[in-house]
Amino acid sequence: MYDYVKGDIKMEKRLLLLGLLRSHEMHGYQLNEILKNELGLPIKLKKSNAYKLLTDMENEGLIIHHEKQEGNRPVRRVYSITKKGEEAFLNFLRKNIATCPSPQFPAVVGLDFMFALSSDEVVSLLQERLELLNKKFQALDALSEDIRQSHLSIEYHHNYYKNEIQWLTKIIDRYQS
Amino acid sequence: MYDYVKGDIKMEKRLLLLGLLRSHEMHGYQLNEILKNELGLPIKLKKSNAYKLLTDMENEGLIIHHEKQEGNRPVRRVYSITKKGEEAFLNFLRKNIATCPSPQFPAVVGLDFMFALSSDEVVSLLQERLELLNKKFQALDALSEDIRQSHLSIEYHHNYYKNEIQWLTKIIDRYQS
DNA sequence: TAGAGCATGTAATATGTTACATGATTCC
DNA sequence: GGAATCATGTAACATATTACATGCTCTA
């Protein structure tokens, strides 16, 4: 029933939600506030999808909720992880760690067709790309060493962008000569 | 009409098909033979999706086909790129090259929750992951320097896995002490 | 003669996003 | 008084994959 050998990404989104609920019980809105914060989050998970996964996981018995109201605020569904959910979490986690990621890179195809453009244009397009990469890197680089070391996924991205920048710089150099 | 600012991946799949058709006119089966060959291909594009994109692009006037039959073989639809398709190709290409890729990495979330397992188990899971990475790297590394330099997307992947292995090795070391 | 390959495609399913709906509260 | 925030969710759409359907030919 929890055998997500293929649907790695769906499993991973569940893993993320379970992992967050494991430290604190939370309601959907609270989770989504965390998930909104692009930077520092390992993967993308949008609001409506998060709500759906929460109800799915509750139907599967991985989490439960109780309703809570503070003042006249809208009623919240405060979710917490069950024993079954904790087991699922550990299994997802083991699979996730032992998996060799084969990411979907966007913007790789173009690399094979650069000969179709003049090398001047290619260089300026690649430089545009490099600038965007630099911005992303700097945002991650601005975070403290502490945060990066405690959130390994951030360090992972930090390292990824560093490498990406190095590689692209090399390619631009090669293309210019 | 061809403004795929958001749907980058769909654009990229079209870019790939257009780029292939640009060098030789081809029929769907032939294209799919190329697309089947995981290794060395920048992105994944499955058969049924490829056929669909071909008919879509023909409806948009980017490509056209004529039917061809050799002997008693099934009729082939041989596609070639139109003038409009060539323009679209160049626009897709420019966008693609100047784009900063923000890939969806699978298997990153687990990195943030490793503390939930014993460090012995984490190390052995990470080593399992490292072995899988090594296999992928070696497959790419076995290709000749020539092929890698002429297919930049392959060199890109080659470099990616190299970096991935270095990083993971560092993390395992850190975890062991 | 059975199974693999050639060639095209549809249907069903999975997954995820955007936009929309609701209604109260707080802040300016 | 109007916009932004709180809180949850549904509906419609976009995208892509798996499995299925068809029917011929070549090879073992």
Side-chain angles (χ1 to χ4, degrees), chain A residues 8-9 12-13 15-16 18-20 22 40 42-44 86 89-90 93-117 121-122 125-126 128-129 132-133 136 148-157 159-161 163-164 167 170-171 174-175, chain B residues 8-9 12-13 15-16 18-20 22 40 42-44 86 89-90 93-117 121-122 125-126 128-129 132-133 136 148-157 159-161 163-164 167 170-171 174-175:
Chain A
D8 277 336
I9 286 174
E12 193 154 9
K13 293 185 176 181
L15 177 62
L16 178 57
L18 289 175
L20 290 170
R22 201 172 165 265
I43 50 169
K44 282 170 205 157
E86 174 72 18
F89 169 79
L90 291 173
L93 179 58
R94 290 192 180 97
K95 251 182 220 167
N96 194 262
I97 294 179
T99 290
C100 166
S102 52
Q104 284 272 88
F105 295 105
V108 220
V109 171
L111 298 173
D112 283 343
F113 296 119
M114 299 198 309
F115 59 83
L117 301 172
E121 190 175 8
V122 167
L125 291 169
L126 288 177
E128 204 177 313
R129 183 186 183 125
L132 294 171
L133 275 172
K136 286 204 185 174
R148 281 209 299 275
Q149 293 236 352
S150 60
H151 293 269
L152 217 47
S153 72
I154 295 182
E155 191 180 326
Y156 179 88
H157 285 109
N159 177 271
Y160 166 76
Y161 282 110
N163 180 55
E164 190 81 6
W167 186 77
K170 194 178 82 184
I171 297 303
R174 189 196 294 170
Y175 229 79
Chain B
D8 276 335
I9 287 177
E12 193 153 11
K13 293 185 174 180
L15 177 62
L16 178 57
L18 289 175
L20 290 170
R22 202 171 165 265
I43 50 169
K44 283 170 205 156
E86 174 72 16
F89 169 79
L90 291 174
L93 179 58
R94 290 191 181 98
K95 249 180 222 170
N96 194 263
I97 294 178
T99 291
C100 166
S102 52
Q104 284 271 90
F105 294 106
V108 221
V109 171
L111 298 174
D112 284 344
F113 296 119
M114 299 198 308
F115 59 82
L117 300 171
E121 189 175 8
V122 167
L125 291 169
L126 288 177
E128 204 177 314
R129 183 185 183 127
L132 293 170
L133 274 171
K136 288 204 181 173
R148 280 210 299 275
Q149 294 235 351
S150 60
H151 293 269
L152 217 47
S153 72
I154 295 183
E155 192 181 325
Y156 178 88
H157 285 109
N159 176 270
Y160 166 76
Y161 283 110
N163 180 56
E164 190 81 5
W167 187 76
K170 194 178 81 182
I171 297 301
R174 188 196 294 171
Y175 228 80

Side-chain angles (χ1 to χ4, degrees), chain A residues 55-91:
Chain A
T55 55
D56 288 353
M57 289 200 290
E58 182 157 37
N59 288 334
E60 291 165 19
L62 305 186
I63 54 178
I64 36 162
H65 83 268
H66 62 268
E67 306 210 326
K68 203 174 182 179
Q69 188 157 26
E70 269 171 34
N72 277 326
R73 290 284 177 78
V75 179
R76 296 163 167 174
R77 296 190 165 188
V78 179
Y79 287 94
S80 51
I81 193 167
T82 63
K83 196 168 276 185
K84 199 172 170 187
E86 174 72 18
E87 282 166 35
F89 169 79
L90 291 173
N91 286 332

Side-chain angles (χ1 to χ4, degrees), chain A residues 42-53:
Chain A
I43 50 169
K44 282 170 205 157
L45 178 48
K46 292 293 168 67
K47 206 183 52 162
S48 63
N49 198 10
Y51 277 117
K52 191 171 181 310
L53 289 175

Side-chain angles (χ1 to χ4, degrees), chain A residues 17-46:
Chain A
L17 289 175
L18 289 175
L20 290 170
L21 289 177
R22 201 172 165 265
S23 55
H24 306 287
E25 56 171 36
M26 278 187 251
H27 54 95
Y29 193 85
Q30 211 172 346
L31 282 165
N32 279 308
E33 285 302 297
I34 298 175
L35 299 172
K36 257 201 302 199
N37 178 27
E38 290 268 324
L39 188 75
L41 259 187
I43 50 169
K44 282 170 205 157
L45 178 48
K46 292 293 168 67

